[in-house]
Amino acid sequence: MGRLSLYADAQGRTALHESGFSWMAAFSLPVWALQRQQRLLAVVILVVQLGLGMVVAQLGLAEGTQLALFVLNVLANGFLAAPLQAWLLRRRGWVRSAEEPPPRPARGQP
């Protein structure tokens, strides 16, 4: 689980952001974008993913290669979703107002 950050905008609205890997984004990036009310981003992602799927199908790659590309796509979506959301929030004028502190090591551990 990633660390939580609270963002606020000029109107006083708040948004919660979690850093780290996102399973929702990993397997369905457009649904992840819609969940965060990013409709245009969801449409762009859907078009890009459909285009990539068509390109891979036209290349006639072996099944093992297609599986490797799928796994790579899933991992990239999961790891890049949180930084993308933070960037979009900052770009739209949202400011980080609070952040969860890093976890403390357990007693007896360095």
Side-chain angles (χ1 to χ4, degrees):
M1 182 172 162
R3 292 172 50 189
L4 298 174
S5 299
L6 185 67
Y7 283 80
D9 68 357
Q11 289 81 29
R13 295 178 298 176
T14 58
L16 192 61
H17 174 265
E18 182 177 356
S19 64
F21 189 82
S22 171
W23 284 103
M24 171 70 85
F27 288 104
S28 184
L29 196 55
V31 172
W32 172 87
L34 287 174
Q35 183 184 20
R36 282 153 180 78
Q37 300 176 358
Q38 303 288 334
R39 291 171 191 85
L40 180 61
L41 179 63
V43 171
V44 169
I45 289 169
L46 186 60
V47 168
V48 168
Q49 286 187 340
L50 288 173
L52 287 174
M54 290 173 49
V55 168
V56 168
Q58 290 295 322
L59 290 175
L61 300 173
E63 289 180 12
T65 305
Q66 289 183 19
L67 178 62
L69 288 173
F70 173 76
V71 170
L72 184 63
N73 185 42
V74 166
L75 290 173
N77 290 345
F79 281 114
L80 295 176
L84 175 63
Q85 182 192 13
W87 177 76
L88 287 171
L89 286 169
R90 289 189 306 270
R91 184 171 172 252
R92 292 191 172 108
W94 293 70
V95 179
R96 186 179 359 205
S97 58
E99 185 174 14
E100 182 179 31
R104 293 183 177 182
R107 289 186 178 219
Q109 293 186 2

